[in-house]
Short mmCIF file of all heavy atoms in Angstrom, two decimals:
data_model
loop_
_atom_site.label_atom_id
_atom_site.label_comp_id
_atom_site.label_asym_id
_atom_site.label_seq_id
_atom_site.Cartn_x
_atom_site.Cartn_y
_atom_site.Cartn_z
N ILE E 252 6.82 -10.98 10.06
CA ILE E 252 5.51 -10.90 9.41
C ILE E 252 5.66 -10.40 7.97
O ILE E 252 5.06 -10.94 7.04
CB ILE E 252 4.58 -9.97 10.21
CG1 ILE E 252 4.25 -10.59 11.57
CG2 ILE E 252 3.29 -9.68 9.42
CD1 ILE E 252 3.52 -9.66 12.52
N GLY E 253 6.48 -9.36 7.81
CA GLY E 253 6.68 -8.80 6.47
C GLY E 253 7.27 -9.79 5.49
O GLY E 253 6.98 -9.75 4.30
N ARG E 254 8.13 -10.69 5.99
CA ARG E 254 8.76 -11.66 5.09
C ARG E 254 7.88 -12.87 4.82
O ARG E 254 7.84 -13.36 3.68
CB ARG E 254 10.09 -12.11 5.69
CG ARG E 254 10.89 -13.15 4.89
CD ARG E 254 11.24 -12.75 3.47
NE ARG E 254 10.15 -12.97 2.53
CZ ARG E 254 10.26 -12.92 1.22
NH1 ARG E 254 11.40 -12.62 0.64
NH2 ARG E 254 9.22 -13.12 0.45
N ILE E 255 7.17 -13.41 5.82
CA ILE E 255 6.45 -14.68 5.60
C ILE E 255 4.96 -14.53 5.40
O ILE E 255 4.27 -15.52 5.16
CB ILE E 255 6.72 -15.67 6.75
CG1 ILE E 255 6.06 -15.17 8.05
CG2 ILE E 255 8.20 -15.94 6.92
CD1 ILE E 255 5.86 -16.28 9.08
N ASN E 256 4.41 -13.31 5.48
CA ASN E 256 2.99 -13.16 5.18
C ASN E 256 2.71 -13.74 3.79
O ASN E 256 3.47 -13.54 2.85
CB ASN E 256 2.60 -11.67 5.21
CG ASN E 256 1.13 -11.46 4.93
OD1 ASN E 256 0.27 -12.05 5.59
ND2 ASN E 256 0.83 -10.64 3.93
N ASN E 257 1.62 -14.47 3.67
CA ASN E 257 1.26 -15.13 2.41
C ASN E 257 2.35 -16.13 1.99
O ASN E 257 2.60 -16.34 0.81
CB ASN E 257 1.03 -14.10 1.30
CG ASN E 257 0.07 -14.61 0.24
OD1 ASN E 257 -1.02 -15.09 0.56
ND2 ASN E 257 0.46 -14.53 -1.02
N ASN E 258 3.00 -16.74 2.99
CA ASN E 258 4.10 -17.69 2.76
C ASN E 258 5.26 -17.04 2.00
O ASN E 258 6.04 -17.72 1.33
CB ASN E 258 3.61 -18.94 2.03
CG ASN E 258 2.54 -19.68 2.80
OD1 ASN E 258 2.59 -19.74 4.03
ND2 ASN E 258 1.56 -20.24 2.10
N GLY E 259 5.35 -15.73 2.11
CA GLY E 259 6.43 -15.00 1.44
C GLY E 259 6.16 -14.72 -0.02
O GLY E 259 7.00 -14.11 -0.69
N GLU E 260 5.00 -15.14 -0.52
CA GLU E 260 4.68 -14.98 -1.94
C GLU E 260 3.83 -13.73 -2.14
O GLU E 260 2.64 -13.78 -2.41
CB GLU E 260 3.96 -16.22 -2.46
CG GLU E 260 4.84 -17.46 -2.43
CD GLU E 260 4.13 -18.72 -2.87
OE1 GLU E 260 3.09 -19.05 -2.27
OE2 GLU E 260 4.59 -19.37 -3.82
N SER E 261 4.48 -12.61 -1.98
CA SER E 261 3.81 -11.32 -2.11
C SER E 261 4.75 -10.31 -2.73
O SER E 261 5.94 -10.25 -2.37
CB SER E 261 3.36 -10.83 -0.73
OG SER E 261 2.90 -9.50 -0.78
N CYS E 262 4.22 -9.50 -3.64
CA CYS E 262 5.06 -8.49 -4.29
C CYS E 262 5.55 -7.46 -3.27
O CYS E 262 6.63 -6.90 -3.43
CB CYS E 262 4.30 -7.81 -5.43
SG CYS E 262 2.72 -7.12 -4.93
N ILE E 263 4.76 -7.21 -2.22
CA ILE E 263 5.14 -6.21 -1.22
C ILE E 263 5.77 -6.83 0.02
O ILE E 263 5.90 -6.16 1.05
CB ILE E 263 3.96 -5.31 -0.82
CG1 ILE E 263 2.81 -6.14 -0.26
CG2 ILE E 263 3.53 -4.42 -1.97
CD1 ILE E 263 1.72 -5.32 0.41
N ALA E 264 6.16 -8.10 -0.06
CA ALA E 264 6.83 -8.71 1.08
C ALA E 264 8.16 -8.00 1.36
O ALA E 264 8.81 -7.49 0.45
CB ALA E 264 7.09 -10.19 0.80
N SER E 265 8.54 -7.97 2.62
CA SER E 265 9.86 -7.44 2.99
C SER E 265 10.89 -8.48 2.56
O SER E 265 10.88 -9.61 3.04
CB SER E 265 9.93 -7.22 4.50
OG SER E 265 8.88 -6.38 4.93
N LYS E 266 11.78 -8.09 1.66
CA LYS E 266 12.70 -9.08 1.08
C LYS E 266 14.16 -8.77 1.35
O LYS E 266 14.97 -9.67 1.54
CB LYS E 266 12.45 -9.18 -0.43
CG LYS E 266 11.08 -9.76 -0.73
CD LYS E 266 10.65 -9.59 -2.17
CE LYS E 266 9.22 -10.13 -2.33
NZ LYS E 266 8.51 -9.57 -3.46
N ARG E 267 14.52 -7.49 1.37
CA ARG E 267 15.92 -7.11 1.60
C ARG E 267 16.02 -6.39 2.95
O ARG E 267 15.56 -5.26 3.09
CB ARG E 267 16.41 -6.21 0.47
CG ARG E 267 16.43 -6.90 -0.90
CD ARG E 267 16.95 -5.97 -1.99
NE ARG E 267 16.06 -4.83 -2.20
CZ ARG E 267 16.48 -3.59 -2.43
NH1 ARG E 267 17.77 -3.30 -2.45
NH2 ARG E 267 15.60 -2.62 -2.65
N PHE E 268 16.61 -7.05 3.92
CA PHE E 268 16.73 -6.50 5.27
C PHE E 268 18.07 -5.79 5.39
O PHE E 268 19.12 -6.42 5.28
CB PHE E 268 16.56 -7.60 6.31
CG PHE E 268 15.15 -8.14 6.34
CD1 PHE E 268 14.72 -9.09 5.42
CD2 PHE E 268 14.24 -7.66 7.27
CE1 PHE E 268 13.41 -9.56 5.43
CE2 PHE E 268 12.93 -8.12 7.29
CZ PHE E 268 12.51 -9.08 6.37
N ILE E 269 18.01 -4.49 5.61
CA ILE E 269 19.21 -3.64 5.61
C ILE E 269 19.35 -3.02 7.00
O ILE E 269 18.57 -2.15 7.39
CB ILE E 269 19.09 -2.54 4.54
CG1 ILE E 269 18.86 -3.17 3.15
CG2 ILE E 269 20.32 -1.64 4.55
CD1 ILE E 269 18.50 -2.17 2.06
N ALA E 270 20.34 -3.48 7.75
CA ALA E 270 20.52 -3.02 9.13
C ALA E 270 21.79 -2.19 9.26
O ALA E 270 22.86 -2.58 8.78
CB ALA E 270 20.59 -4.21 10.08
N VAL E 271 21.66 -1.03 9.92
CA VAL E 271 22.83 -0.21 10.23
C VAL E 271 23.70 -0.99 11.23
O VAL E 271 23.20 -1.66 12.14
CB VAL E 271 22.39 1.15 10.80
CG1 VAL E 271 23.57 1.92 11.35
CG2 VAL E 271 21.68 1.96 9.72
N GLU E 272 25.01 -0.90 11.04
CA GLU E 272 25.98 -1.73 11.78
C GLU E 272 25.74 -1.73 13.28
O GLU E 272 25.89 -2.76 13.96
CB GLU E 272 27.40 -1.25 11.47
CG GLU E 272 28.49 -2.12 12.06
CD GLU E 272 28.50 -3.54 11.51
OE1 GLU E 272 28.48 -3.69 10.27
OE2 GLU E 272 28.49 -4.49 12.32
N ALA E 273 25.37 -0.60 13.84
CA ALA E 273 25.23 -0.48 15.29
C ALA E 273 24.19 -1.45 15.87
O ALA E 273 24.28 -1.82 17.05
CB ALA E 273 24.87 0.95 15.66
N VAL E 274 23.20 -1.84 15.07
CA VAL E 274 22.14 -2.72 15.57
C VAL E 274 22.06 -4.03 14.77
O VAL E 274 21.17 -4.85 15.02
CB VAL E 274 20.77 -2.01 15.53
CG1 VAL E 274 20.75 -0.84 16.50
CG2 VAL E 274 20.43 -1.54 14.12
N ALA E 275 22.97 -4.23 13.83
CA ALA E 275 22.88 -5.38 12.93
C ALA E 275 22.97 -6.71 13.67
O ALA E 275 22.19 -7.64 13.41
CB ALA E 275 23.97 -5.30 11.86
N ASP E 276 23.90 -6.84 14.61
CA ASP E 276 24.07 -8.11 15.32
C ASP E 276 22.83 -8.48 16.11
O ASP E 276 22.37 -9.64 16.08
CB ASP E 276 25.28 -8.04 16.26
CG ASP E 276 26.61 -8.10 15.52
OD1 ASP E 276 26.61 -8.55 14.35
OD2 ASP E 276 27.63 -7.70 16.10
N GLU E 277 22.30 -7.51 16.83
CA GLU E 277 21.10 -7.78 17.64
C GLU E 277 19.92 -8.17 16.75
O GLU E 277 19.20 -9.13 17.05
CB GLU E 277 20.75 -6.57 18.50
CG GLU E 277 19.54 -6.81 19.40
CD GLU E 277 19.12 -5.58 20.19
OE1 GLU E 277 19.77 -4.53 20.06
OE2 GLU E 277 18.13 -5.69 20.95
#
Side-chain angles (χ1 to χ4, degrees):
I252 293 171
R254 179 57 278 192
I255 69 161
N256 181 55
N257 207 50
N258 300 323
E260 295 177 303
S261 170
C262 55
I263 58 169
S265 305
K266 293 166 184 157
R267 297 181 295 140
F268 291 81
I269 303 170
V271 170
E272 186 63 50
V274 294
D276 285 342
E277 182 184 0

